[in-house]
Amino acid sequence: MIAATDRKASYRSDNRHGAYVLLLLPAVLLLLGFLAVPAVYIFWLSFQKSTFGVDPEFVGLANYWGLIADRAFWRASWNTIVVVNAIVYAELALGLGVAVLVRGIRSGRKIVIAAILLPYIITESSGIVMWRFMMEPEFGLLTRLIDRSGLPPLPWDFEPWAALTLSGTIAIWHHMPFTFLILYAALLAVPKDTLEAASIDGAGRWQSFWRVEVPIIMPAILVAILFRYIFAIRLFGEVWLLTRGGPARLTEVLAIYLYRETFQYRNFGSASAAGVCMLLLSLAVATPYLIRMAREVRRDA
């Protein structure tokens, strides 16, 4: 009797798992269709010599060797690494600081949050054009304010470092609300009794923040860093609309390099190889954070 009951329970469990698989099947097929198949095709194309009107020709690693020998590719890679790291960690520090300040506001908090989220509502191209207009060397409002304040000018129209600095600043301005939302929600979820216990033990506000709150919200910090790295590595609009990668391709980032290879030079094989390199760079950046997140989850389980 007991064995029959167990068989029925096992049968129901198998049917339930089968129903779950059927429900997930459309999502899996969509992922395979929109992500896996194009990724495999790009990987295959990276070993081909391909352009419009010509059948792809297998060239092995020639496209990758071409990237290694191309100084513009290394310049774009270096620019991407420097700018992306600056963007991610500046956003993290700014987002965390703003989240702490907003949490302490007693009245009008919703209005302040709405003001913080405002840049995220504006379309990326509109925001970049607005910044470019305000930073025009001759008549830009921000340029005049910088001149009158006595600060050194930002010659973004001819100095590569200044153009990349302005591009990073625009990216931080536009995407900081995303980091802010993640960290603000995490700070609100910190248990009050834990903070009260730390206060009773004699911890000051600074100690309580660094030794109690930051470890608690560390998973949220890792998620924010991971997502921003993934999105920031695709940095394109800020640089393209400001300098188009110039002068002399000195402000190019990897996304612009890939764009030129694809749509200007019609070198699809080299562009695919550059895309594969961008993917590997993203994985190299994401892997340590994913490992750390997995450890945090196992520790909390």
Side-chain angles (χ1 to χ4, degrees):
M1 185 66 182
I2 294 175
T5 303
D6 290 343
R7 282 197 297 272
K8 288 181 179 178
S10 175
Y11 179 74
R12 284 196 295 269
S13 177
D14 290 343
N15 284 341
R16 194 180 302 119
H17 290 158
Y20 292 157
V21 170
L22 286 176
L23 290 173
L24 289 174
L25 190 59
V28 172
L29 291 176
L30 280 175
L31 285 175
L32 287 175
F34 286 102
L35 294 178
V37 173
V40 171
Y41 177 72
I42 292 297
F43 186 70
W44 172 82
L45 199 59
S46 69
F47 297 102
Q48 312 291 323
K49 182 180 180 181
S50 175
T51 186
F52 278 130
V54 179
D55 292 333
E57 177 187 354
F58 181 76
V59 293
L61 296 173
N63 290 323
Y64 291 95
W65 289 122
L67 292 181
I68 293 173
D70 190 352
R71 295 180 62 183
F73 173 75
W74 287 109
R75 181 76 187 195
S77 300
W78 174 250
N79 288 342
T80 302
I81 292 171
V82 172
V83 175
V84 166
N85 276 289
I87 289 173
V88 170
Y89 288 104
E91 270 188 37
L92 179 66
L94 192 59
L96 185 58
V98 173
V100 171
L101 291 176
V102 171
R103 185 185 58 173
I105 296 175
R106 299 301 177 190
S107 61
R109 185 186 298 182
K110 292 181 180 178
I111 297 175
V112 174
I113 292 176
I116 294 170
L117 297 181
L118 194 59
Y120 214 53
I121 301 171
I122 301 172
T123 59
E124 187 180 64
S125 56
S126 301
I128 298 167
V129 171
M130 180 186 71
W131 270 88
R132 178 167 182 158
F133 183 73
M134 291 192 301
M135 290 297 293
E136 276 294 329
E138 299 297 330
F139 55 83
L141 176 63
L142 283 180
T143 301
R144 290 186 177 182
L145 289 176
I146 291 173
D147 288 341
R148 292 181 181 179
S149 66
L151 294 172
L154 189 66
W156 62 269
D157 54 334
F158 63 91
E159 285 287 355
W161 67 267
L164 291 174
T165 300
L166 182 57
S167 301
T169 303
I170 297 172
I172 293 168
W173 167 81
H174 192 232
H175 296 286
M176 191 276 288
F178 175 79
T179 306
F180 161 77
L181 280 179
I182 293 176
L183 300 180
Y184 180 65
L187 283 173
L188 291 182
V190 174
K192 291 184 179 179
D193 54 350
T194 303
L195 297 177
E196 291 173 357
S199 178
I200 293 172
D201 289 340
R205 286 189 177 183
W206 188 250
Q207 289 177 314
S208 178
F209 175 72
W210 280 110
R211 297 187 178 182
V212 178
E213 290 186 272
V214 169
I216 291 176
I217 68 171
M218 186 54 71
I221 292 175
L222 293 174
V223 168
I225 292 175
L226 181 61
F227 273 91
R228 285 304 296 133
Y229 260 122
I230 292 173
F231 292 124
I233 284 175
R234 299 181 302 180
L235 179 74
F236 178 84
E238 290 85 350
V239 181
W240 182 255
L241 292 178
L242 284 178
T243 67
R244 295 188 180 271
R249 306 186 71 174
L250 291 177
T251 59
E252 273 191 8
V253 290
L254 280 174
I256 291 180
Y257 182 91
L258 193 153
Y259 174 83
R260 287 192 191 280
E261 291 293 320
T262 305
F263 297 105
Q264 291 188 350
Y265 307 140
R266 307 287 197 272
N267 192 349
F268 303 137
S270 177
S272 300
V276 171
C277 290
M278 285 184 66
L279 175 63
L280 294 177
L281 179 62
S282 300
L283 290 175
V285 169
T287 299
Y289 293 102
L290 289 173
I291 293 173
R292 176 74 182 274
M293 288 171 62
R295 287 176 180 170
E296 294 280 344
V297 170
R298 281 199 297 269
R299 190 186 65 185
D300 296 338

